[in-house]
Amino acid sequence: MSDAVDLVLAQWGRERPDVDVWPMGIVGRISRLSRLLDIRLKEFFAEHDLERWEFDVMATLRRSGPPYELTAGALNRAAMITSGAITNRIDRMAKRGLVERVPDETDRRSVRVRLTERGWETVEKLVGPHTENEALLLAALGPRERDRLAGTLRDLLESLGDTSLD
Amino acid sequence: MSDAVDLVLAQWGRERPDVDVWPMGIVGRISRLSRLLDIRLKEFFAEHDLERWEFDVMATLRRSGPPYELTAGALNRAAMITSGAITNRIDRMAKRGLVERVPDETDRRSVRVRLTERGWETVEKLVGPHTENEALLLAALGPRERDRLAGTLRDLLESLGDTSLD
DNA sequence: CACAGTTATCTCAACGTTGAGATTATCAAT
DNA sequence: ATTGATAATCTCAACGTTGAGATAACTGTG
């Protein structure tokens, strides 16, 4: 079997046999996979009247444990977006009553973002179905392959200096 | 060793031990890797006064072989973007003299986008360095791992119905 | 205690994509 | 030939992110 990326590699092989373009076989596939998965996840959350990023923000808060709050900075590092974008997202989620801004007592520059009751329930209801949906999207992989793939991807992430969250 | 995603998995394990969130170990990493690679590639092309998508469009035309032209539709399928976006991109690249619009004789609805001499030279000059740069980003992988990873990712892409290009 | 440097968040203009609708052309069937 | 359905591209308003700058607060040094 072959996919869109195999075609790319074959074309380069024909047009520029002097260049070994093997890296495209990996970078290209990661890029395309990411986009395809985005689309599928978007569809899933749309069924629940939610944006994917809204779930991501809430899930980040939920899994951080009680009291289910983090600074705005921690959230934008986790989401890998800029500060302007996280301000915008928090604004909209606050309007929907999914999170609330809480002043930080120790550092008054900081804003703590806390999951509301409603936000908590939303995550609680969806973690299971969301995970099952992702499992379905990855159904092509056997248990062995899953572990090996996860391990390889982790090595890559580390080598690229993926910065962890708080 | 552990990365940002390992932390996510550990947190879920603590907060919701009843849910097996293994899929996040793969989906999350693909997503983060895609973003990190984007940033690195963007830096590379910036050094050559080029946007990444500009190179992608030109490379798609270049590797399709003589006469180095494709329809706008083929290009937006290859880039996985919408029709509005490809129109915009072609406009800007045409202004920079990297591609030109050519009327399609057989189908007058179509527009054929052709690589100009200047565009051709740009790709020709950069394919090698770009590929070497990507190889550097993937240096953490051994030859064996590379092949296995590429194969696994291809299986996933196919199972998700990745639509090929023309 | 004051100063300089750093950090956290918010503001906002510029920019690019999306997605629906408009336009023009092709194709299939009658 | 004509009609209806489909297809290719372009247009454009709405929307979200980026990235630089503004503001306010913290930190450590002298």
Side-chain angles (χ1 to χ4, degrees), chain A residues 37 41 44-45 52 55-60 62-63 123-124 126-138 141 146-147 149-151 153-154 157 162 165, chain B residues 3-13 15-16 18-33:
Chain A
L37 290 170
L41 294 181
F44 173 81
F45 288 114
R52 184 190 175 183
F55 181 81
D56 283 343
V57 168
M58 291 190 286
T60 304
R62 171 63 183 87
R63 68 172 193 260
V123 180
E124 222 54 10
L126 290 177
V127 197
H130 165 53
T131 303
E132 283 164 31
N133 179 50
E134 285 190 328
L136 228 55
L137 295 175
L138 302 180
L141 305 177
R146 297 178 334 205
D147 292 345
L149 175 58
L153 296 178
R154 172 173 43 222
L157 269 176
D162 187 27
L165 5 135
Chain B
D3 62 358
V5 177
D6 273 333
L7 177 60
V8 171
L9 298 179
Q11 288 184 321
W12 278 124
E15 294 293 321
R16 287 298 301 269
D18 58 312
V19 181
D20 184 359
V21 298
W22 70 266
M24 293 186 192
I26 291 175
V27 176
R29 286 186 174 102
I30 288 175
S31 186
R32 289 185 83 85
L33 267 174

Side-chain angles (χ1 to χ4, degrees), chain B:
Chain B
M1 281 299 246
S2 78
D3 62 358
V5 177
D6 273 333
L7 177 60
V8 171
L9 298 179
Q11 288 184 321
W12 278 124
R14 193 182 323 118
E15 294 293 321
R16 287 298 301 269
D18 58 312
V19 181
D20 184 359
V21 298
W22 70 266
M24 293 186 192
I26 291 175
V27 176
R29 286 186 174 102
I30 288 175
S31 186
R32 289 185 83 85
L33 267 174
S34 179
R35 274 169 141 309
L36 282 175
L37 290 170
D38 274 354
I39 293 169
R40 300 300 203 87
L41 294 180
K42 182 178 180 172
E43 289 167 3
F44 172 82
F45 287 115
E47 290 168 14
H48 300 276
D49 187 34
L50 217 55
E51 300 287 334
R52 185 191 174 183
W53 57 262
E54 291 179 312
F55 181 81
D56 282 343
V57 169
M58 291 190 287
T60 303
L61 294 171
R62 171 64 183 85
R63 67 172 192 261
S64 74
Y68 309 115
E69 57 177 53
L70 291 171
T71 63
L75 285 175
N76 76 26
R77 280 189 296 279
M80 297 180 97
I81 55 177
T82 58
S83 65
I86 200 64
T87 297
N88 183 20
R89 291 183 177 187
I90 295 170
D91 283 348
R92 278 179 293 164
M93 292 184 73
K95 274 199 190 97
R96 291 193 63 184
L98 298 172
V99 301
E100 56 188 350
R101 282 191 171 84
V102 178
D104 187 314
E105 298 304 333
T106 37
D107 185 342
R108 279 179 303 177
R109 290 170 307 179
S110 280
V111 173
R112 299 193 72 81
V113 180
R114 180 188 298 163
L115 203 53
T116 61
E117 186 66 21
R118 172 146 176 248
W120 196 86
E121 284 164 6
T122 304
V123 181
E124 221 55 10
K125 187 182 69 182
L126 289 177
V127 197
H130 164 53
T131 303
E132 283 165 30
N133 178 51
E134 284 190 328
L136 227 56
L137 295 174
L138 302 180
L141 306 177
R144 262 290 164 59
E145 256 176 325
R146 296 180 332 206
D147 292 345
R148 203 156 51 195
L149 175 58
T152 305
L153 296 178
R154 173 173 44 222
D155 291 345
L156 259 182
L157 270 176
E158 283 173 8
S159 78
L160 291 175
D162 187 27
T163 55
S164 184
L165 3 134
D166 313 63

Side-chain angles (χ1 to χ4, degrees), chain A residues 95-154:
Chain A
K95 276 199 189 97
R96 290 192 63 183
L98 299 172
V99 302
E100 56 188 349
R101 282 192 171 83
V102 178
D104 187 315
E105 298 304 333
T106 37
D107 184 343
R108 280 180 302 177
R109 290 169 306 178
S110 280
V111 174
R112 299 193 73 81
V113 179
R114 180 189 298 162
L115 204 52
T116 61
E117 186 66 21
R118 171 145 177 250
W120 195 87
E121 284 163 7
T122 304
V123 180
E124 222 54 10
K125 187 182 69 181
L126 290 177
V127 197
H130 165 53
T131 303
E132 283 164 31
N133 179 50
E134 285 190 328
L136 228 55
L137 295 175
L138 302 180
L141 305 177
R144 262 290 163 59
E145 255 176 325
R146 297 178 334 205
D147 292 345
R148 202 157 51 196
L149 175 58
T152 305
L153 296 178
R154 172 173 43 222

Side-chain angles (χ1 to χ4, degrees), chain A residues 18-32:
Chain A
D18 57 312
V19 181
D20 184 0
V21 297
W22 71 265
M24 294 187 191
I26 291 175
V27 175
R29 285 185 174 103
I30 288 175
S31 186
R32 289 185 83 86

